[in-house]
Every structure is written in structure tokens, then in C-alpha cells.
Amino acid sequence: MSRPKIVVTRRIPEPAVELLREAGDVWVSPDDRPLETQELHDAVSGADIAVTLLHDRVDDAFLDAAGDQLRAVCNVAVGFDNIDVPAATKRGVLIANTPAVLTEATADLAMTLILAVTRRIGEGERLIRNREKWSWHMFMLLGMGLQEKTLGVVGMGAIGQALARRAKAFGMEIVYSDARPASDEVERELGARRVELDELLEIADVVSIHAPLMDSTRHLIDAQALARMKDTAYLVNSARGPIIDEAALVEALRSGQIAGAGLDVYENEPEVDPGLIELDNVVLLPHLGSATIETRTAMGVLAARNALAVLSGEDPPTPVNPEVLEGSRT
Ligand code: DGY
């Protein structure tokens, strides 16, 4: 019997590839870059399992190119906005993601952005690296302290909660907006209060985005939302770029409508609006949320475990559309 064909669209940590090799013939793209659409479609043709990255578009054309034997697409990311899940479900293709393993690393990064932008770390670093003449003085690069300030968490899932825990340790009050309330236990632990998004925007000193990208969250933070924020407030995004209207953000930062922003993700990633690059009151990172050796390894291994489970007829640990499994059992 021929071994299953497993296609990995870009290099992932070796322990994950080793696991995959136990279960099938593994092809890993030799080019450490996102594949062009045609290359991606050629690569997945005939695959039983595709292991994808967040920049791979998995849609009807991808599924057609892969063929009817495709059993699962295991995305090495918690976010799966790159995947047309209903299209996959219709064809009985399982989609899996990598939740939980990146919660702490991403919350660390969000907290880093909050500290970096409120304490003007980028500006200070640039001053030194540009070899500017300086001497300590009372008013140099003054930022905002976090103690007794309010953090507004937009999307109180695992990462939002993990950030709130960190922010609480820095002395911040927590409010959050989410369609679903957090458990009483979590609200009590964090002293967190659920409010409508409009109220959150009006009262928060730091607004941090932790929602998934969906139709309902695309441009959730638009010009109107930004206008609700205090002119002393900061906006942080380590979730997905298109949740913020980037052009409106540039305008709000330029005009002083808000004090600053810390961004790890962009509307047209990997492009970054040149307007953002020109501004000093913005900290810009290249999508580093989960970028620790431990976390990236855990993400790869979890994606591989999902693949292995599907191939051996077991329940994958983190399916996105488990109804596909129900369908295959009946
Ligand atoms: C994810 O997993 O969705 C992240 O954005 C990648 O770190």
C-alpha cells in the first residue's frame, strides 16, 4: 500500500517534520518563502494532508488543485482566516489549527508592545543608534505609566485573558468587550468588567486587539472607533491586521487623535503602510507574536499531531470543523 502524501508548504521545525515522516512521504517546500498561488496549487496536487502556513490561501481553487483524496489541511497557526472553512467542510476536508500552544508567547508580545509604545522604547533606541547627542534630563522621552490605567481587551479569548493577567500585574484595571462573557471565575481573577466596544474605546488608556479576523471584525477599528478613543490612549494589535483600518489609523496617529500604536500585524501583510513607518509614535514589529523557539516548535508538532491523527482515523487534537469527523463516522 502506498504511503500517504504529506505536503508542507514552507519549512517548519524539524521535530514536526520527523513526526510527519512516521506517517507518510513528506515533501517540504525547499523555498523558504510563501509559494505563489500556482506553485502552491502544484505543490498540494495529490496530497492526502497539506500542512499550511498563515500566508497560504486555502480556497476552492486550492481544494480543486489538491484533489478529492485530500483529507486534512493542518494550519500551523491559531488563526485560520486564510482558509475557507465552509468550502473545506462541504468537501469533507478536515481543517485543524494550533490554539493554546501560542497563548503565552503572544500575550508576552502584546505586553511588550504596550510597554514599548507607552515608554517610547523605539524612539529611545533610534536616538542611540542614530548617534544623536543626548544628556539625561527631566523631560526626555516621557511616556505613560501603566499603574491605575485601564486596559481595554477587545476579544477575551485565551490570549486576551493571558494579556489581562500580565497587565493586572502591572497595576492596570481591565475592561473587555466580547460577544461572549468570560467565565465568572476569570472575571473575578482579573477584576475584569465586560462593556460594549464603544464604552471600552472611550475609557481605555490602552486598547489591545485579540479578536479573530472574520467578516464581523474586518475594520472593527475604523475612523469612527478611533475617534472614540482618548487622545492620550494607545492602540495595540497582535491579532490580525485587517481588524484595523490602517489608513484611518495613520490619520488618527498623525492628527494626534490617539497617542500611539504598537503593531505586530498589518492590513496588507507583509506590506506596511509607509505612513506608519514615518511616524515616531508607533512601534512596528514583523508578526512576531508566537516567535519563540519553544512556541514555534509546539505549533509545528501540534499541526503534525493533527495530521497523524487524521491519517490513523483518530480524533485530531484541535479540529476547526469537527463536524467533518462526525460525517465520516456516520
Ligand atoms: C497565529 O498563529 O495565528 C499567529 O498569528 C502566528 O503567530
Side-chain angles (χ1 to χ4, degrees):
M1 218 173 77
S2 70
R3 280 161 61 80
K5 176 175 171 182
I6 302 173
V7 169
V8 183
T9 62
R10 191 169 182 176
R11 196 159 72 88
I12 59 173
E14 204 43 40
V17 179
E18 275 167 27
L19 262 180
L20 292 169
R21 284 203 185 102
E22 287 175 15
D25 290 336
V26 180
W27 179 87
V28 182
S29 169
D31 301 314
D32 196 10
R33 59 171 174 82
L35 295 176
E36 299 292 340
T37 306
Q38 192 54 54
E39 293 175 315
L40 180 66
H41 291 177
D42 291 346
V44 296
S45 169
D48 296 285
I49 302 281
V51 177
T52 53
L53 283 301
L54 51 79
H55 46 61
D56 297 324
R57 181 127 300 283
V58 179
D59 52 13
D60 270 315
F62 175 105
L63 297 164
D64 281 342
D68 289 344
Q69 77 301 322
L70 182 70
R71 295 177 64 184
V73 175
C74 302
N75 212 34
V76 193
V78 64
F80 48 87
D81 46 281
N82 57 315
I83 300 179
D84 182 344
V85 179
T89 305
K90 215 154 78 195
R91 298 168 189 243
V93 174
L94 183 101
I95 304 298
N97 66 341
T98 60
V101 291
L102 46 67
T103 299
E104 303 303 327
T106 309
D108 284 347
L109 199 280
M111 195 67 222
T112 303
L113 281 173
I114 293 173
L115 288 164
V117 70
T118 57
R119 295 301 302 274
R120 307 179 65 177
I121 301 302
E123 289 171 80
E125 246 249 332
R126 285 194 289 279
L127 178 147
I128 300 284
R129 288 191 184 277
N130 292 340
R131 300 181 194 281
E132 280 172 40
K133 211 165 144 34
W134 65 281
S135 70
W136 185 93
H137 67 92
M138 287 291 280
F139 304 99
M140 186 180 188
L141 289 180
L142 299 187
M144 181 186 84
L146 297 181
Q147 296 70 32
E148 292 172 28
K149 297 295 193 313
T150 298
L151 171 67
V153 180
V154 179
M156 196 61 147
I159 299 172
Q161 290 175 27
L163 171 66
R165 235 162 250 129
R166 285 155 176 75
K168 188 170 185 250
F170 278 84
M172 299 189 82
E173 305 287 331
I174 314 295
V175 296
Y176 73 97
S177 69
D178 199 309
R180 277 192 314 179
S183 68
D184 290 348
E185 200 186 335
V186 167
E187 285 199 350
R188 225 174 303 122
E189 177 203 346
L190 299 171
R193 190 164 61 87
R194 181 166 166 246
V195 296
E196 293 299 324
L197 177 62
D198 284 354
E199 183 184 344
L200 179 149
L201 294 168
E202 281 159 18
I203 64 178
D205 298 294
V206 178
V207 174
S208 191
I209 311 291
H210 298 285
L213 175 61
M214 304 180 290
D215 287 344
S216 58
T217 59
R218 193 173 292 276
H219 282 195
L220 182 69
I221 307 298
D222 57 8
Q224 277 182 335
L226 289 161
R228 288 188 185 276
M229 289 176 64
K230 302 195 241 188
D231 60 9
T232 51
Y234 296 84
L235 178 63
V236 167
N237 189 7
S238 55
R240 284 292 182 266
I243 296 175
I244 296 178
D245 177 343
E246 214 163 86
L249 175 61
V250 171
E251 202 33 57
L253 288 162
R254 262 194 202 132
S255 66
Q257 193 161 56
I258 67 170
L263 305 175
D264 189 38
V265 289
Y266 303 92
E267 190 162 353
N268 299 305
E269 224 168 284
E271 302 303 321
V272 178
D273 191 313
L276 289 172
I277 294 173
E278 283 162 17
L279 290 166
D280 251 342
N281 53 345
V282 197
V283 175
L284 302 167
L285 297 179
H287 205 144
L288 295 180
S290 60
T292 69
I293 295 167
E294 298 84 350
T295 300
R296 288 283 162 82
T297 304
M299 291 166 69
V301 165
L302 180 52
R305 290 203 187 290
N306 277 307
L308 262 55
V310 170
L311 290 173
S312 59
E314 287 160 22
D315 282 349
T318 51
V320 167
N321 56 350
E323 60 274 27
V324 165
L325 301 167
E326 295 307 318
S328 67
R329 278 190 198 111
T330 51

